[in-house]
Amino acid sequence: MKIRLGFIGMGRRGLRHLAMLSERADCAIVAIAEPLPAQNALAQKILAQKTHRPIFYDKNEQDYQRMIAQENLDAVLIYTPWKEHLAQSQFAMQHGVRVGVEVSGAQSLEECWQFVETYEQTQTPIMLLENCCYRRDVLAIAQMIKNGDFGELVYLKGGYQHDIRSVLFDEKLNFGAETQGESNWRTQEYLERNADIYPTHGLGPMAIFNDINAGNRITQVRSLATKSVGMKNFCQKNIAFKLGDIVLTQMQCERGEVMQLTHDTSLPRPFNLGLMVQGSKGIWQEYYRGDLSDGQIYLEKNDAAAPLEKRWQSPKKYLRKNDSSIWVKFRKKITKFGRYGIDYIMLNDFIERIQQGKEFRIDVYDLATWKAITPLSEQSIQANGKMIEMPDFTKGKYIDRKNKFKNYE
Amino acid sequence: MKIRLGFIGMGRRGLRHLAMLSERADCAIVAIAEPLPAQNALAQKILAQKTHRPIFYDKNEQDYQRMIAQENLDAVLIYTPWKEHLAQSQFAMQHGVRVGVEVSGAQSLEECWQFVETYEQTQTPIMLLENCCYRRDVLAIAQMIKNGDFGELVYLKGGYQHDIRSVLFDEKLNFGAETQGESNWRTQEYLERNADIYPTHGLGPMAIFNDINAGNRITQVRSLATKSVGMKNFCQKNIAFKLGDIVLTQMQCERGEVMQLTHDTSLPRPFNLGLMVQGSKGIWQEYYRGDLSDGQIYLEKNDAAAPLEKRWQSPKKYLRKNDSSIWVKFRKKITKFGRYGIDYIMLNDFIERIQQGKEFRIDVYDLATWKAITPLSEQSIQANGKMIEMPDFTKGKYIDRKNKFKNYE
């Protein structure tokens, strides 16, 4: 079944995914909605050697609506600034066009509910394009959890720990309406909000590990922020950015676990997600340095008798043993994409689930829950770290929902 | 100057320190207060080849008072169960005998104030025997912070991450009054309290790094606990231990930093303190596996241009360059003590500061602040993670106090 795809937004992420999907014989890139000519030129360059000849909807920022109304799409993929995600997703869902939407935090709790309500009214599926859920280590560790290797889970950590200041400012260290790329809009969030504004890269994997919305749920959330020094230092201007350099968010879960999320994007540091899983039988700590098996693992049954310096093991052999079928299948094919191989695997899943008529693995309830961390953390920080209730977007359905990443197939 | 020393408590810790101090020609072990004959026999065995011939005060648990009243001690060292620390310290201070007291959390906030008030009334110095403050990595990193290598500090982590269940239960998996050693009293804390009951190993180093009570102070504290599964699993009895397996405590500091402390002692894991220092110019993460230079460090000025897989460096060369004079001096001598070399260095400091007439590096205000984490975290957990004010035990003196671990001499 050939999937008719439309794209909204030809920024950095949109172009990357366009390139990947344009390689697939089972996808037709039929339309692209993007008002900036320079970005469309880049898209055309990517497609030059391919057979796809999309129509460009480039009149203005609302032209995606014409695309959705006219093109009889099977699905639309959204790569626009965060504030546009809801309206574009809603418009597509209301027109029966499935949605894959880039990750972000929600602008408000109401926004989360609107995603859910639109889905429930239209029954048009939407998937949050959280690529970190498709990481090799995440899928293998999820399987080990399923197999009981870590016992009963107790504590989990994850975060977005990535110094992205070089995309938040242009070469002249400016940001805002006059600049191009993410500095045009993303930096504004750092000015205006003290919250975990980008929760899903860290939370997605933890949610999978800990069966969130699949037997378990987040009941309460609280956050705390440090001072802000990294943004000022970087742009060499005395601007009062509201966002603390580090925002820590703790989530209490119904089964008694705590999950801790870190937002850490404006201090100098090497990238990693700092994923950690601790249970009654073992512990895994990721510290990615370029290889998805970087980190350390300790399983009581295997390692308890070793001397201290040998108790931690490399995760390598465990990942190999527990690799998901999807990584076994695609490992060679994705080598050329480097660290974006996870995007290829995620997009493959998006397409295949449509072809197979199956629900997306990351659906509207996950989307709403994960994105809700942003407004809830903001509310908590404003109230000096108060615990805030997390709504149950599934309205009780979380009890019987299945985890679609464990026993991945 | 020969220091006349008395000991209270000949358990595991007391015996270890007795052995170390009995080696010193500048110390006279003049008295030991311990009611258990078996423990005193072990002490005598340690001293058999030495010239020290202490008098044993072994009539009952109060016999330490007779020792302090009679022996004209320069200092007393206390290694008893946590609940006895205050009364014993007070008695010694009131008799003008300097105190070195083993670490623990406070039973209440009042206890912390009583330490402070007793000191202020008697002017008899007391030192908290927090050995982790004397770790090689801690002293070298403190110096690097002083030198500005990490820039302005923003976020710090530390904790007591040590599966100690094998000392919390005897060989038959029992605990309580009928058992010997720490299971006799320490396990009771796990039954009765949900708090960070042992905060100082993680907090001490962070406090040094972040100038707590030396220009900076902790203003607010909040905690959160996971469920408790590790204790039940270990002792194979369905006992309701109050203490969550993981207790997370976050401290806001006056300068805007956040410090996060983890108490993690009842799940299977290799020991480490999980120390982390993150500033505006770099980051250090310890993950001790038997060598105090285990971990990773990233300094923007040195490593920013490297590819991702080479950005993290081993801390080895940095520790060597910034080693404290005390480690340079004692490195060879302490090899025989293995991981307890830090205790030798700490005790050496205790003795030398007395000889030199200098204030202890970890004084009553640090003791009160660090131990206060236990009652404050308990209060916070009881109030669903509410922020609790940390008293300023120094009553404003923290502003001008100096950090005695940076520029160590």
Side-chain angles (χ1 to χ4, degrees), chain A residues 255-382:
Chain A
R255 292 180 185 163
E257 309 89 345
V258 169
M259 307 196 299
Q260 174 156 312
L261 187 65
T262 303
H263 185 267
D264 169 6
T265 65
S266 48
L267 292 173
R269 67 161 300 138
F271 165 78
N272 75 37
L273 300 184
L275 294 169
M276 194 278 289
V277 169
Q278 185 169 15
S280 62
K281 295 183 179 175
I283 181 169
W284 168 67
Q285 171 72 60
E286 168 257 343
Y287 49 80
Y288 179 74
R289 298 168 167 192
D291 183 320
L292 287 175
S293 63
D294 289 337
Q296 52 191 26
I297 192 166
Y298 168 83
L299 297 184
E300 192 176 32
K301 65 178 174 187
N302 298 344
D303 310 318
L308 180 58
E309 64 274 19
K310 309 236 163 164
R311 265 180 225 167
W312 287 112
Q313 306 290 328
S314 162
K316 274 203 172 66
K317 64 178 175 185
Y318 292 108
L319 299 191
R320 205 175 304 126
K321 194 178 156 208
N322 294 281
D323 252 338
S324 71
S325 56
I326 201 75
W327 269 87
V328 174
K329 182 173 173 190
F330 282 112
R331 177 171 293 121
K332 280 187 188 154
K333 185 172 178 62
I334 62 174
T335 311
K336 64 176 172 181
F337 299 121
R339 69 188 176 97
Y340 298 104
I342 54 175
D343 287 274
Y344 188 88
I345 286 181
M346 172 185 70
L347 292 171
N348 175 73
D349 194 42
F350 178 76
I351 299 297
E352 283 191 355
R353 302 292 280 194
I354 295 174
Q355 290 169 332
Q356 296 163 359
K358 289 186 182 165
E359 287 174 11
F360 290 130
R361 282 181 222 268
I362 308 172
D363 69 6
V364 73
Y365 300 105
D366 301 318
L367 175 151
T369 306
W370 301 359
K371 283 166 81 95
I373 292 301
T374 302
L376 295 178
S377 66
E378 187 169 34
Q379 221 180 309
S380 177
I381 289 170
Q382 283 170 357

Side-chain angles (χ1 to χ4, degrees), chain A residues 111-141:
Chain A
E111 181 181 308
C112 301
W113 280 115
Q114 286 178 285
F115 273 107
V116 169
E117 285 159 14
T118 305
Y119 166 73
E120 291 183 346
Q121 283 157 17
T122 64
Q123 294 293 310
T124 311
I126 180 170
M127 172 170 161
L128 186 71
L129 298 176
E130 179 41 73
N131 56 5
C132 292
C133 293
Y134 291 85
R135 274 170 53 145
R136 183 189 172 208
D137 52 351
V138 169
L139 292 173
I141 296 294

Side-chain angles (χ1 to χ4, degrees), chain A residues 181-192:
Chain A
E182 289 175 61
S183 62
N184 175 275
W185 56 272
R186 190 168 179 170
T187 317
Q188 194 65 22
E189 301 269 339
Y190 289 69
L191 258 187
E192 292 174 0

